[in-house]
Amino acid sequence: MRVSPIKGHARLSRWIGPASAWIAAAVVAAVCFFIVGHIVREGYAHVDWKFLTTDPDPSPAESTGGGVRIPIVGTTFLVLLSTLLTFPIALGAAVYLAEYMDERWAVTKAIRLGLEVLAGVPSVVFGMFGVAMFSHGVFTFMSSSGAEGSDVAFGRSFLVAATVMAIHVLPFVIKVMEEAIRSVPLSYRQGAAALGVTKWRAIRRIVLPAAAPGIATGVILGMGLAAGDTAIVWLTLGGTMNMAVDNWWALDQIVNVLRGTGSTLTTFIYFSSPAGEGNAPELAYGGAMVLILLVITLNAAATLIGRARRQTR
Amino acid sequence: MNESLRTPAPEADEAAMLLAELDRQMIRAERALERNTLIDVDNLEVRYGSNVVLRDVTFDVPANQITAFIGPSGCGKSTALRCFNRMNDEIRGFSMNGRIQLGGQDIYDPRVDVTELRRQVGMVFQHPNPFPMSIHENIALAVREHNPRISRDELDGVVEQALVHANLWDEVKDDLKRSALALSGGQQQRLCIARALAVRPTVIMLDEPCASLDPISTARIEELLLELVADYTIIIVTHNLAQARRISDDVAFFLMGRLLEFGDARRVFEDPLRRETADYVRGAYG
Ligand SMILES: Nc1ncnc2c1ncn2[C@@H]1O[C@H](COP(=O)(O)OP(=O)(O)OP(=O)(O)O)[C@@H](O)[C@H]1O
Ligand SMILES: [Mg+2]
């Protein structure tokens, strides 16, 4: 038999898959670069040391004053707090789902359904729920009380926002962590079991260390989601530009800060942008640029951790 | 002519041969008496779901010998092996009938501590599976599990001894902190053997331990097993009949879930009782 040359349509079909994949990737990259480029172009002139180190000026008339110091601090507080709440719960749930649950159990199905529903709920709904729930009197420990002598809580504070945020990001973080744990080769678990190592110790000493980079990716994903969310912050952190506590840096104020209201970069953008409630687009772009830099840094950290993992293998 | 005087030799020879044969029989009988059974398998039947994968399996594994399991793919060799350290317990749908005794104790007795059983009955897998951590930690991990209060020095001693026994020490002694995943396949497999040795087992089971190794690494593992058999009881699953011939004392031939033939390796290979064994040994089955 003779080797026949590739026919025209065969040649075409051979190219069509890779080409469309390439085009799709290029479109995504282009859109992404366009948005980031636009924000940087608009915001860049306004981001300087002063912008980063002064607090927002909430007076609507003053459109060019004020910076993002408090919002940066607020975003940091909120991200750290919600991560602190998310991490242990997400890790525990992921270990349970990946290692102990039987997919045939009704409990497992209920948990999986619950997580899916939770992942599909828009964050504004969580925000509404959060304020309603945490305004209840039993939660006065989480936010300063509404009025003197009243038995309802204010329902808006860093603690409330972080809790609601944790619930919001939990399903995504659990998913990533569960995948990370599942991707640890079965042969490690078998090897450990065959040596008489108990399952729990094998998980702690072998599986979790092997999955650590993936788990870290989950944490960083959760941080990115928390840093970028607006609706929850807007509703549960108090709809303000500044913090309830002026001297928030003082250690003895920590409880008051946590129970008080505040702002983050996303609410800063919302309150300064004409697209939201403000009339200072240059401030909004400046804040957006800072936020994007923050998120890119988090992503870079995730990539670096991933690379470190490949090197230790 | 006095024939009987002239040719006394034939009868004398015959007598001598008879005597020699008697002697051999005696020795074999003695060996059988001495045959120090460590694992006693009685009427084993295994199912996965409704699928019967082993039936009617009865034999005994003598101590300080190498017993080889041979047979075509899917005949149940690995399943039989996993019964001895109860690794089958983890498989969904597994159920078992019959009895397996280790040193006279029923290992499926509900009072048996499975982790302790697995310490005693070590297992090495077809593909080397060192943990993604240092060489030292690979061995130390399980040692600590069984001896949580072991001191650092003692632990280092155990690690060294295990590596020496597994013929790996000289190759890795300079850097025990190196990742085990950086070792070659043959070294990894010897590390897995060291890991099993470190918890002081009585039995070491190996499921096709050389399947992914080159001939030189394979030869090193075979040498190692021949050294280890002085102190341990070894069971090896292998598709390599030449290997089984080279190193095993006893051979168990499985076919479609049944133990068709079991006995002295030489006898099974050279004078099999069953036609199926003869066919397999000649290479008729996959
Ligand atoms: N986890 C399992 N679940 C269900 N059936 C299984 C499982 N493991 C093995 N089996 C079945 O049990 C039978 C025996 O399998 P086993 O792995 O013991 O064979 P083997 O002799 O070790 O084969 P090989 O030489 O290919 O390793 C096969 O028919 C196989 O399909
Ligand atoms: Mg097998």
Side-chain angles (χ1 to χ4, degrees), chain A residues 74-189:
Chain A
T75 294
T76 311
F77 271 16
L78 185 66
V79 167
L80 288 182
L81 267 180
S82 73
T83 304
L84 227 59
L85 290 172
T86 310
F87 180 72
I89 299 172
L91 187 61
V95 166
Y96 202 52
L97 284 170
E99 297 284 342
Y100 289 99
M101 284 259 194
D102 187 322
E103 291 301 326
R104 295 169 305 178
W105 293 348
V107 198
T108 314
K109 288 184 181 140
I111 291 180
R112 291 227 182 271
L113 181 68
L115 285 175
E116 260 163 53
V117 171
L118 219 54
V121 174
S123 66
V124 68
V125 176
F126 282 114
M128 265 166 44
F129 156 83
V131 174
M133 169 109 184
F134 292 110
S135 299
H136 192 279
V138 296
F139 292 113
T140 42
F141 70 94
M142 288 177 76
S143 60
S144 45
S145 59
E148 206 58 45
S150 108
D151 61 350
V152 291
F154 187 48
R156 297 168 185 85
S157 74
F158 275 106
L159 281 178
V160 171
T163 307
V164 177
M165 193 67 82
I167 297 170
H168 168 54
V169 304
L170 212 46
F172 304 100
V173 178
I174 289 176
K175 183 102 203 136
V176 173
M177 289 185 177
E178 189 191 342
E179 285 308 314
I181 293 170
R182 277 187 193 280
S183 70
V184 174
L186 192 64
S187 65
Y188 294 163
R189 295 165 231 254

Side-chain angles (χ1 to χ4, degrees), chain B residues 48 53 72-79 82 91 208 239:
Chain B
Y48 293 128
V53 296
S73 191
C75 64
K77 307 179 295 293
S78 301
T79 302
R82 286 196 303 264
I91 293 174
E208 300 182 47
H239 281 285

Side-chain angles (χ1 to χ4, degrees), chain A residues 102-104 187-198 201-202 205-206 209-210 312-313, chain B residues 87 92 115 118-119 121 123 125 129-133 137 141-142 144-146 179 181 195-196:
Chain A
D102 187 322
E103 291 301 326
R104 295 169 305 178
S187 65
Y188 294 163
R189 295 165 231 254
Q190 284 177 336
L195 285 165
V197 175
T198 55
R201 189 186 276 245
R205 302 293 313 280
I206 301 165
T312 55
R313 296 234 152 164
Chain B
M87 285 288 280
R92 186 173 294 167
T115 54
R118 290 180 185 160
R119 183 193 66 72
V121 183
M123 182 162 181
F125 296 79
N129 59 348
F131 305 130
M133 48 186 77
E137 194 52 29
L141 181 73
R144 270 195 231 104
E145 169 89 28
H146 298 288
S179 166
L181 302 183
R195 196 167 74 178

Side-chain angles (χ1 to χ4, degrees), chain B residues 34 84 94 118:
Chain B
E34 275 173 10
F84 299 163
F94 165 76
R118 290 180 185 160

